[in-house]
Amino acid sequence: MNDEFDVLESQQPAFDIKAFLFRALRYWWLFILCICIGIFIIHQQNIRKQHSYTLGTQISVEDDTNPLFTSNTSLTFNWGGVSGKVNTIKTALRSRSIHEKVVDSLQFYMSYLKQSRFRKDDVYKAAPFRFIQSPDSYQLLNIPIKITFIDDENFDISCDFTSNVINAQNFKDKKIKPIDVNLGVFTKRYKIGEPITLPYLNGVLVLDAERSIKENKEYFLQFNDFNTVVASYKGRIVVNNQKGSAILNLSMTDYNKGKIVDYLNKTVEVISADQLARKNQFVTNTINFIDGQLNRVKKDLTLNSDSINTYRSKNKIYNLDEESTTINTKLSTLEIEKDGINRKLAYYASLKSYLETSDSFTELPAPSIAGVDDGNILSNISKINGLSVQKANYEKSVRSDASIFSDLNQKIESLKRVLLENISSATNGLRRELGEVNNRIGIATSKIRKLPKAQQNLLGIQRQYALSEQTYNVFLAKRGEADIIKSSSVSDILVIDPAKDTGKGANDLKLSSRYMLAIFGGIIPPLLLAFLFTFFDNKLHSPKDLETQSNIPLLGVVGVNTLDNNLAVHRKPKSTIAEAFRAIRTSLQYMYKKHELEGSKTVMITSSVSGEGKTFCSINIATVLALSGKSTVLVGLDLRKPKIFGDFNIQNDIGAVNYLIGQKSLDGVVQKTEVENLDIITSGPIPPNPSELLISDKMDALIEELKERYDYIILDTPPVGLVADALELLEYADASLYVVRQDYTKKGMLNLINDKHKRGEVKNLSFIYNGYNQKGSYGYGYGYGYGYGYGYGAYGNGYHENDTKKKTILERIKGIIKL
């Protein structure tokens, strides 16, 4: 028997899934209510929500080398291939400087709004007017300026000031200053095109040429802080690039599709122009340098030309002999050659100084302007210039302590050391060439000195002129070459698919999915509620629950008593409850026969706590035994809380207590009832020592006397879960009935009686399941109607006097919400 009980305990389910499902079904009204609330909330959100849109553009980063570039010109540089360019463009697109240019160009810090049902919507270009700001002026920040058109020529401006101090911003230098204003609404009328000159609003309102204005139409103009707007757009633009690909996908989300299109296209335009400017930076620097040299040489050339004409006129020398001309031509060639060497030496000296004293190498002029054609120097200058531009680009968007700067600085330093060595080697070679040229110039000069003094001076002036002319022509040719290269350069950014409004729907316009979410959200609370109540519910809700909690046999199932007292069998002998007690009587008789009990039988009835129907079952079991023709006595031994006397309309002045203390004899405490063959002994006055009385010798005598007079003795005892009195009476009972009540008795209350039964301290113990309601907490039955007293089985229909009393509306509501 012990092993059987242990197995039963181990097989008890931790969570009753079936009970959970049936409890959830009972909350159908709560499901409907929660779903309706969820749908209502989603509907309100949908009509209030401003839908956002996402559009994109696609660009490609190409490696477009200038077709006019040669190793001799060296006016362009390489950024490190397509991969390096892609990373640079991605970094630039995330930089604040780019977005500042875009916002400034589009004036997106200024919004055109229109009042809708729930908010002010940004109508952007849909507004029929534009506000043109006055240069270098301050505009009101973060407060909507209401514009009401009176007619085709006039409009009102109004501002509602809730503070004495407002902020205004100058969108040229981006400075913000506080301005004192008067509290309340400011209103002033203007004509369209009339200058508005207020401390916090400066500009002109103009109408679109193809738009018309309706009278009393209202719009709003609002200026927002420039830096805040830039940060907002910078955070919303998304740049995606598949690794190893030269394709960049730009996308942005906003409430106005027109703004998205303009912003994305302007961003590509700005980054393309910026990239082209950086790409041409080298050649631009070279052009600036050449222009400076041309201006200088042009002055020398003009001065030398004037000197020749003046000298010839003064000295009457217009022609030279053939020998003098030949010598002078040779000397001029040597001096031009010397000038070229000196120009290279000067470039190297300047380059060396620049490398040693500068931290940035983005302004190096091209070596070709000095006639430098050393391949190593050309290549290294291009590389160091490219790295410097890349570093300058990263400085706009990457932290200064990032590791990328350390890598770039190391590469630049390495190239700088190589360049310095190249310069030293090239300089030494040029100095040797310069020495040889000077020797030849000396020989030619000695021949010139043999000519007359006047001719010598004229030849000297002519050589200076020729030298200046040659230098000017060289720089002019270089200038033309640089201009051609610059004008033929194209951006490395190719727009594949510009941003465009193609009618794409809103991101969050999937109303059906939102309503499905509302339905799902409405289902969860009742399910959660049912789960929690089921999980924490430790009460008995069906006979099956009782069977899972104990291996004590179930003797009978009794339905709910609807009468105003406990005499259910006596008052309605044909009711289902009466049949349930008859079934219990039959089961008791079978039990006695099985255990071969003869003569008078004692039945003890107890329960866990008060309120489980112990007295109700005691009275009706006694009644149904008496109705069978057996002499029966009902003894009230619940000395602390007597009850049974009230249902029989008898007094409790004299009872078992009087017998137990020796005041009365058995005849003096026995009272007759209206039920034939049924006597009753009430408990009597409440004693100070009920437990001691129940274990006294008088209790033995009482039971013996009762057995001599009656066939059945029904003992109504106190609950075993509250006091130990009932346990003291177990020795007198031939059968013990333990009453439990549906939706009332807690499962843990059975531990004590289970333990007593497990140890064999209680004999012939059985359960009575009281208050059974097939439509109770879970709404499912187990067929106990016919097996244990006909309950609510089909057999009772037409044969039993069922309670047909209709429930009130309040009772029905209580039944629905009953847990």
Side-chain angles (χ1 to χ4, degrees):
M1 183 175 183
N2 293 344
D3 294 340
E4 179 185 354
F5 188 78
D6 292 338
V7 171
L8 184 62
E9 289 285 331
S10 64
Q11 292 178 347
Q12 293 180 9
F15 182 77
D16 193 340
I17 300 296
K18 192 172 184 180
F20 162 70
L21 294 177
F22 275 94
R23 186 188 289 272
L25 289 176
R26 291 191 67 251
Y27 293 159
W28 60 266
W29 58 275
L30 188 57
F31 281 101
I32 296 176
L33 177 62
C34 291
I35 290 173
C36 290
I37 292 174
I39 291 176
F40 176 78
I41 292 174
I42 292 298
H43 176 70
Q44 293 301 315
Q45 289 179 349
N46 285 339
I47 62 178
R48 285 172 170 80
K49 186 175 179 62
Q50 188 173 9
H51 300 297
S52 61
Y53 302 86
T54 299
L55 299 177
T57 182
Q58 190 175 69
I59 62 175
S60 173
V61 181
E62 305 290 339
D63 191 10
D64 286 332
T65 303
N66 196 309
L68 301 179
F69 168 74
T70 66
S71 60
N72 291 328
T73 58
S74 185
L75 294 175
T76 61
F77 57 89
N78 188 359
W79 282 21
V82 172
S83 177
K85 291 179 182 179
V86 170
N87 291 330
T88 302
I89 297 298
K90 286 172 60 178
T91 304
L93 286 169
R94 297 188 180 100
S95 67
R96 183 176 183 83
S97 59
I98 290 294
H99 292 280
E100 286 179 346
K101 293 178 183 178
V102 176
V103 171
D104 217 2
S105 176
L106 296 173
Q107 294 186 340
F108 271 12
Y109 49 78
M110 180 168 54
S111 299
Y112 298 90
L113 310 174
K114 186 177 180 180
Q115 183 67 49
S116 63
R117 181 181 176 186
F118 299 106
R119 60 187 168 269
K120 293 180 177 66
D121 291 332
D122 189 344
V123 294
Y124 189 37
K125 292 181 178 179
F129 66 93
R130 284 292 173 266
F131 184 80
I132 302 175
Q133 302 177 69
S134 299
D136 200 15
S137 60
Y138 283 86
Q139 314 294 348
L140 176 64
L141 279 183
N142 304 322
I143 298 178
I145 303 168
K146 187 176 180 180
I147 299 175
T148 305
F149 289 95
I150 306 303
D151 50 40
D152 292 342
E153 297 181 355
N154 300 287
F155 64 94
D156 285 345
I157 285 181
S158 60
C159 303
D160 187 5
F161 297 117
T162 58
S163 174
N164 287 320
V165 180
I166 54 96
N167 290 325
Q169 187 169 27
N170 186 327
F171 289 99
K172 180 180 180 181
D173 56 18
K174 309 304 183 287
K175 291 182 179 179
I176 298 176
K177 71 174 183 180
I179 297 177
D180 295 326
V181 295
N182 296 322
L183 286 175
V185 179
F186 166 83
T187 303
K188 189 173 182 180
R189 182 163 296 183
Y190 290 91
K191 288 185 177 296
I192 295 174
E194 178 184 356
I196 301 172
T197 55
L198 297 173
Y200 45 81
L201 184 64
N202 296 270
V204 177
L205 188 147
V206 296
L207 297 179
D208 286 352
E210 299 179 356
R211 301 290 298 277
S212 60
I213 296 294
K214 294 182 179 179
E215 293 183 3
N216 299 319
K217 199 69 174 178
E218 295 179 351
Y219 293 90
F220 294 87
L221 179 68
Q222 181 170 327
F223 292 90
N224 300 295
D225 177 57
F226 180 79
N227 292 326
T228 302
V229 175
V230 170
S232 173
Y233 280 101
K234 178 177 178 288
R236 275 184 286 158
I237 196 165
V238 178
V239 182
N240 291 319
N241 167 242
Q242 187 175 358
K243 189 174 181 181
S245 172
I247 304 298
L248 292 178
N249 293 295
L250 281 66
S251 62
M252 193 177 74
T253 301
D254 196 89
Y255 297 122
N256 190 290
K257 290 193 283 187
K259 276 195 166 183
I260 301 175
V261 171
D262 288 352
Y263 196 90
L264 288 176
N265 289 334
K266 179 59 70 172
T267 300
V268 173
E269 179 184 332
V270 169
I271 192 67
S272 181
D274 187 71
Q275 183 273 337
L276 182 59
R278 288 175 183 164
K279 183 177 182 181
N280 287 331
Q281 186 172 4
F282 197 13
V283 68
T284 301
N285 295 338
T286 299
I287 289 174
N288 293 335
F289 178 82
I290 292 175
D291 287 342
Q293 296 299 317
L294 283 173
N295 290 332
R296 177 184 63 79
V297 176
K298 186 176 181 180
K299 293 179 182 179
D300 293 341
L301 187 61
T302 302
L303 182 61
N304 291 330
S305 177
D306 293 341
S307 297
I308 290 175
N309 294 330
T310 301
Y311 191 83
R312 283 180 171 175
S313 177
K314 182 178 179 180
N315 295 280
K316 309 296 184 180
I317 302 176
Y318 298 102
N319 295 309
L320 296 174
D321 56 35
E322 184 178 348
E323 183 182 0
S324 298
T325 301
T326 301
I327 295 173
N328 191 55
T329 301
K330 184 177 181 180
L331 188 58
S332 295
T333 303
L334 292 172
E335 287 181 346
I336 290 173
E337 186 178 352
K338 177 182 178 181
D339 182 71
I341 294 173
N342 285 330
R343 190 163 60 248
K344 291 181 181 180
L345 289 172
Y347 176 81
Y348 284 139
S350 174
L351 180 60
K352 180 179 180 181
S353 175
Y354 190 87
L355 292 172
E356 292 176 342
T357 60
S358 178
D359 294 329
S360 174
F361 309 103
T362 59
E363 298 181 359
L364 285 172
S368 60
I369 63 172
V372 175
D373 54 4
D374 189 308
N376 292 330
I377 293 178
L378 294 175
S379 174
N380 289 330
I381 287 178
S382 176
K383 290 177 181 178
I384 198 171
N385 192 290
L387 291 172
S388 297
V389 172
Q390 192 173 359
K391 178 182 176 182
N393 186 40
Y394 284 144
E395 286 174 346
K396 297 180 180 180
S397 56
V398 182
R399 293 187 312 169
S400 59
D401 58 347
S403 60
I404 189 172
F405 290 110
S406 176
D407 295 339
L408 287 174
N409 288 333
Q410 290 179 1
K411 293 179 181 178
I412 290 173
E413 285 297 320
S414 299
L415 286 172
K416 187 167 72 172
R417 288 194 296 270
V418 174
L419 264 176
L420 289 174
E421 293 177 0
N422 293 337
I423 291 171
S424 177
S425 176
T427 299
N428 292 333
L430 288 174
R431 285 174 180 167
R432 288 194 295 270
E433 291 182 21
L434 182 61
E436 295 177 0
V437 171
N438 284 333
N439 289 334
R440 285 184 284 168
I441 289 176
I443 295 173
T445 302
S446 63
K447 294 181 180 179
I448 292 292
R449 288 174 181 168
K450 296 178 180 178
L451 298 174
K453 190 66 175 178
Q455 291 187 9
Q456 290 183 31
N457 292 335
L458 179 59
L459 291 174
I461 295 172
Q462 286 180 336
R463 288 197 304 274
Q464 289 297 323
Y465 176 82
L467 182 60
S468 298
E469 184 181 32
Q470 178 67 24
T471 302
Y472 184 82
N473 290 334
V474 170
F475 281 121
L476 194 61
K478 298 295 183 183
R479 179 63 163 81
E481 180 183 306
D483 282 337
I484 292 172
I485 293 174
K486 183 176 182 180
S487 63
S488 60
S489 294
V490 293
S491 175
D492 288 337
I493 297 177
L494 173 65
V495 179
I496 298 176
D497 194 6
K500 184 179 180 181
D501 179 11
T502 57
K504 181 182 178 182
N507 296 336
D508 43 6
L509 201 58
K510 299 178 180 179
L511 301 183
S512 59
S513 62
R514 291 172 60 85
Y515 284 119
M516 290 300 296
L517 181 63
I519 294 173
F520 182 73
I523 292 175
I524 290 179
L527 284 179
L528 181 61
L529 187 65
F531 173 81
L532 292 176
F533 275 116
T534 305
F535 184 79
F536 291 105
D537 182 16
N538 61 348
K539 294 181 180 180
L540 298 174
H541 297 289
S542 70
K544 187 173 183 180
D545 287 346
L546 181 61
E547 291 181 350
T548 61
Q549 297 297 317
S550 176
N551 67 343
I552 298 173
L554 178 61
L555 190 67
V557 177
V558 180
V560 179
N561 179 29
T562 59
L563 301 179
D564 55 0
N565 66 10
N566 290 323
L567 300 177
V569 173
H570 176 64
R571 294 181 60 180
K572 288 194 174 184
K574 292 185 178 181
S575 65
T576 54
I577 292 181
E579 290 299 327
F581 282 109
R582 291 188 180 95
I584 293 174
R585 179 185 64 190
T586 302
S587 298
L588 279 172
Q589 292 171 347
Y590 175 77
M591 181 189 301
Y592 293 141
K593 184 180 294 185
K594 180 179 179 181
H595 292 86
E596 298 180 352
L597 295 175
E598 302 293 340
S600 179
K601 288 91 174 178
T602 303
V603 180
M604 187 187 81
I605 302 176
T606 187
S607 65
S608 301
V609 293
S610 177
E612 293 176 302
K614 169 180 59 63
T615 299
F616 167 71
C617 291
S618 299
I619 291 174
N620 286 284
I621 289 175
T623 300
V624 79
L625 288 172
L627 291 176
S628 66
K630 302 294 183 180
S631 58
T632 306
V633 62
L634 173 61
V635 184
L637 295 181
D638 189 352
L639 305 184
R640 289 178 171 81
K641 194 175 180 181
K643 291 182 180 180
I644 61 175
F645 58 91
D647 295 296
F648 292 98
N649 295 321
I650 59 178
Q651 300 298 319
N652 190 39
D653 298 336
I654 298 173
V657 172
N658 302 94
Y659 179 89
L660 294 176
I661 62 176
Q663 287 184 348
K664 296 287 183 178
S665 64
L666 181 60
D667 292 331
V669 297
V670 173
Q671 301 185 58
K672 295 293 182 178
T673 68
E674 58 184 284
V675 181
E676 187 179 359
N677 299 325
L678 177 61
D679 293 340
I680 186 169
I681 301 176
T682 62
S683 60
I686 299 175
N689 56 343
S691 296
E692 287 73 10
L693 290 179
L694 294 177
I695 62 175
S696 65
D697 294 337
K698 293 292 291 181
M699 187 65 200
D700 294 337
L702 175 62
I703 296 298
E704 289 299 326
E705 284 192 63
L706 291 174
K707 286 186 175 183
E708 293 176 358
R709 295 189 183 187
Y710 297 97
D711 295 322
Y712 287 98
I713 304 168
I714 311 300
L715 303 180
D716 180 33
T717 64
V720 298
L722 300 180
V723 294
D725 297 356
L727 298 177
E728 305 292 346
L729 301 173
L730 286 173
E731 60 178 299
Y732 303 115
D734 297 316
S736 299
L737 303 182
Y738 197 94
V739 180
V740 296
R741 183 178 172 185
Q742 179 171 301
D743 302 336
Y744 187 87
T745 303
K746 295 182 178 179
K747 297 175 183 178
M749 295 177 179
L750 304 180
N751 292 337
L752 176 62
I753 197 65
N754 280 335
D755 187 58
K756 295 290 183 182
H757 182 258
K758 181 179 179 181
R759 293 198 297 265
E761 298 179 12
V762 185
K763 59 182 179 179
N764 299 333
L765 177 63
S766 301
F767 279 124
I768 294 180
Y769 189 88
N770 183 35
Y772 175 63
N773 182 4
Q774 194 173 18
K775 299 179 180 178
S777 293
Y778 296 135
Y780 53 82
Y782 292 94
Y784 289 92
Y786 63 85
Y788 298 105
Y790 306 107
Y792 292 87
Y795 180 78
N797 296 331
Y799 293 90
H800 301 152
E801 294 178 355
N802 295 318
D803 182 21
T804 59
K805 179 182 177 182
K806 293 185 178 180
K807 295 183 179 180
T808 65
I809 295 177
L810 181 61
E811 289 174 336
R812 292 179 181 179
I813 294 175
K814 288 182 178 179
I816 290 176
I817 64 175
K818 181 182 177 183
L819 298 178

